[in-house]
Amino acid sequence: MTGEQVFVSHAEGDLTLVGELFSTVKNFPFGVHIALEDVESAGSRGRLEGRLANSDVVVAVLTEGSADDTWINQEIGYALARDISVVPLYDRPGLTAGFVEGVEGVTIDRNDLTRTIFELLCRLRAELEPLGALSVPNWYVRFPCTVPDCGHPVTLAIEQDQPKLWRLHQHGKLLETSCDVCRATYYFEPATIGFVRRER
């Protein structure tokens, strides 16, 4: 799994929510382009259109205040016209109308964002995995060791499937990996793949 691109279509009022939902998703080795972050940094819709055109998956964030947003609806239509998968991420199923009506998506549970992030990762994993029933995507997170004067690359390989990751979460278990050089150990929440702590 390298080089894939995920485009996040959302309204301006949902930028904080989108930031929370995608904070750990951005740690995976695929590009995550959040629409308004790209517009602010790029200064033009032209660059944003290029990001959208080169995406493998579009996540459309549909909340009570944004389901009728013109830009979101245009971006959904553009993605579908280019045969790009669209994953709706919504406050309630009734917000998925038009082209995304009946498309499998993820309900946003504002009282349990951990569950929402887990379900989002399930959908992304299903969309980005290699073809074939027995193939399992090589999901991982790579980061520099944070021990002073080390900085060696550390990789957390995620070999478990999504149901196993959820069971680990329910039982309070963590994923762990270690730096090969300084032996520091890093722990991650299995549902969101969020960093928990480092021990040395």
Side-chain angles (χ1 to χ4, degrees):
M1 177 191 64
T2 56
E4 290 91 347
Q5 302 295 314
V6 174
F7 182 92
V8 184
S9 178
H10 65 94
E12 184 174 358
D14 294 328
L15 185 57
T16 300
L17 172 65
V18 168
E20 291 175 18
L21 293 173
F22 284 85
S23 63
T24 61
V25 178
K26 289 172 123 180
N27 295 331
F28 286 93
F30 51 81
V32 176
H33 305 287
I34 295 175
L36 284 179
E37 287 182 354
D38 281 353
V39 166
E40 290 173 7
S41 63
S44 75
R45 295 259 346 150
R47 183 167 174 188
L48 190 63
E49 184 179 335
R51 296 242 195 242
L52 179 56
N54 292 314
S55 293
D56 298 288
V57 178
V58 170
V59 177
V61 181
L62 305 170
T63 63
E64 296 291 345
S66 70
D68 294 326
D69 185 270
T70 303
W71 286 112
I72 294 173
N73 289 314
Q74 286 182 1
E75 289 161 357
I76 289 170
Y78 184 89
L80 293 173
R82 296 187 65 103
D83 203 27
I84 299 169
S85 296
V86 175
V87 173
L89 183 60
Y90 47 80
D91 273 332
R92 58 180 173 80
L95 297 176
T96 56
F99 287 121
V100 292
E101 185 173 3
V103 174
E104 183 182 354
V106 176
T107 303
I108 300 168
D109 182 346
R110 292 175 188 260
N111 295 318
D112 189 357
L113 288 184
T114 295
R115 180 70 189 208
T116 303
I117 294 167
F118 172 77
E119 295 293 341
L120 174 61
L121 288 172
C122 287
R123 289 293 299 127
L124 290 176
R125 198 166 182 176
E127 291 293 335
L128 297 174
E129 73 181 353
L131 297 177
L134 299 178
S135 57
V136 176
N138 181 21
W139 276 53
Y140 63 91
V141 173
R142 184 167 292 140
F143 55 94
C145 181
T146 59
V147 171
D149 299 323
C150 184
H152 185 77
V154 180
T155 301
L156 171 68
I158 303 166
E159 298 167 352
Q160 302 87 344
D161 61 16
Q162 291 301 116
K164 172 72 173 175
L165 291 172
W166 188 251
R167 284 192 298 275
L168 290 172
H169 164 75
Q170 288 179 313
H171 295 299
K173 306 287 186 185
L174 299 176
L175 300 177
E176 66 180 78
T177 189
S178 296
C179 175
D180 293 335
V181 174
C182 72
R183 312 313 284 171
T185 302
Y186 294 83
Y187 296 89
F188 294 82
E189 213 297 318
T192 63
I193 317 299
F195 174 73
V196 175
R197 68 179 185 273
R198 183 194 81 198
E199 292 180 356
R200 184 151 187 233

